[in-house]
Amino acid sequence: MGMGVTAGAYILSMFAIKYTQRVLGLILISPLCKGPSWTEWLYNKVMSNLLYFYGTCSLVKELLLMRYFSKEARGNVQVPESDIVQACRRLLDERQSPNVLRFLEAINGRPDITEGLKKLRCRSLIFVGENSPFHSEALHMTSKLDRRYSALVEVQACGSMVTEEQPNAMLIPMEYFLMGYGLYRPSQFNVSPRSPLSPTSISPELFSPESMGLKLKPIKTRIPFEV
């Protein structure tokens, strides 16, 4: 069972397509599945050129942060950027420019794996931030997967890094996902009253014996943003 974010989700999906018998389940955050669009290709190309000539400069950092975090997390003149964005900015200073350049070149050359998604037989739980540049990719991927074994959770006011920006939005869906494998049995007193995905707010008709354990149809799920 694997969990991956953006490029990591793409790699895990490729692995699951090639080795269907070895993958039990996938938890994918803002996954990629199609080849890069012209817009993304150009975006990555600009960053690659900047990295080649100037290294990890301020502009490259800003472009990378825009790729992974929402406007709310990145802040503005009135609101300071979040702690996680500040931490990510510091981590980018520690990364070697040639390695970041190779990463972007690999992303820009990725093949389309849409057709291969039909081979997937494992259960899949997909999270995507509503403000993620890969939002449409996640919707496209969900449309190609077997709906009996997959579900999509869209998180409002969030970028690609749902794991960092709004990890609480992932808790309840992941609990149900793991319950489908018999790996988790939550206490009846252990449900977050803040979550719109709590069992008390799920319609009975959404429960199905052939569901993936998440017990949710692939519908848009709004998670309220709190400052």
Side-chain angles (χ1 to χ4, degrees):
M1 187 177 294
M3 180 171 73
V5 183
T6 60
Y10 176 84
I11 293 170
L12 283 174
S13 300
M14 287 186 67
F15 183 88
I17 290 169
K18 187 173 182 179
Y19 304 103
T20 54
Q21 301 303 317
R22 297 177 62 180
V23 180
L24 186 65
L26 292 174
I27 300 173
L28 308 174
I29 297 93
S30 302
L32 309 176
C33 63
K34 297 188 292 185
S37 64
W38 282 108
T39 305
E40 185 193 349
W41 183 90
L42 183 60
Y43 187 89
N44 290 335
K45 200 66 177 177
V46 169
M47 282 197 288
S48 297
N49 289 335
L50 288 170
L51 281 163
Y52 182 80
F53 290 106
Y54 303 106
T56 312
C57 60
S58 298
L59 181 55
V60 170
K61 292 179 187 177
E62 291 303 322
L63 291 173
L64 286 171
L65 292 173
M66 288 171 61
R67 183 189 189 98
Y68 293 114
F69 297 100
S70 65
K71 291 180 180 179
E72 290 82 358
R74 298 197 311 274
N76 51 47
V77 178
Q78 289 79 25
V79 181
E81 62 184 17
S82 65
D83 292 340
I84 187 62
V85 173
Q86 294 178 28
C88 185
R89 195 183 293 277
R90 290 192 296 269
L91 287 172
L92 287 172
D93 289 329
E94 303 171 7
R95 297 294 177 266
Q96 296 184 19
S97 299
N99 290 339
V100 181
L101 175 59
R102 294 187 188 100
F103 172 74
L104 290 174
E105 289 177 341
I107 287 179
N108 250 10
R110 70 179 186 270
D112 191 316
I113 59 171
T114 300
E115 287 301 313
L117 295 175
K118 299 175 182 177
K119 300 178 183 178
L120 287 182
R121 292 295 178 267
C122 62
R123 296 174 178 179
S124 303
L125 174 58
I126 298 175
F127 292 94
V128 66
E130 192 174 51
N131 298 329
S132 170
F134 309 116
H135 181 266
S136 61
E137 289 250 355
L139 297 181
H140 173 76
M141 185 173 189
T142 305
S143 69
K144 300 300 178 182
L145 294 172
D146 189 332
R147 294 198 173 191
R148 295 174 300 170
Y149 307 111
S150 64
L152 171 69
V153 178
E154 294 178 271
V155 185
Q156 190 177 22
C158 187
S160 301
M161 300 291 285
V162 182
T163 50
E164 308 300 331
E165 281 197 62
Q166 300 214 37
N168 289 342
M170 301 177 64
L171 294 178
I172 301 300
M174 287 182 66
E175 285 181 0
Y176 280 104
F177 184 76
L178 297 175
M179 283 171 60
Y181 296 95
L183 299 176
Y184 178 75
R185 293 183 179 179
S187 166
Q188 59 178 331
F189 304 108
N190 195 32
V191 175
S192 171
R194 297 173 53 196
S195 175
L197 296 177
S198 60
T200 55
S201 66
I202 298 177
S203 301
E205 60 268 19
L206 295 183
F207 289 81
S208 166
E210 59 182 5
S211 71
M212 49 163 286
L214 179 65
K215 296 179 172 58
L216 284 175
K217 290 181 178 178
I219 57 175
K220 176 172 288 191
T221 304
R222 300 288 186 178
I223 306 297
F225 174 74
E226 296 183 0
V227 179

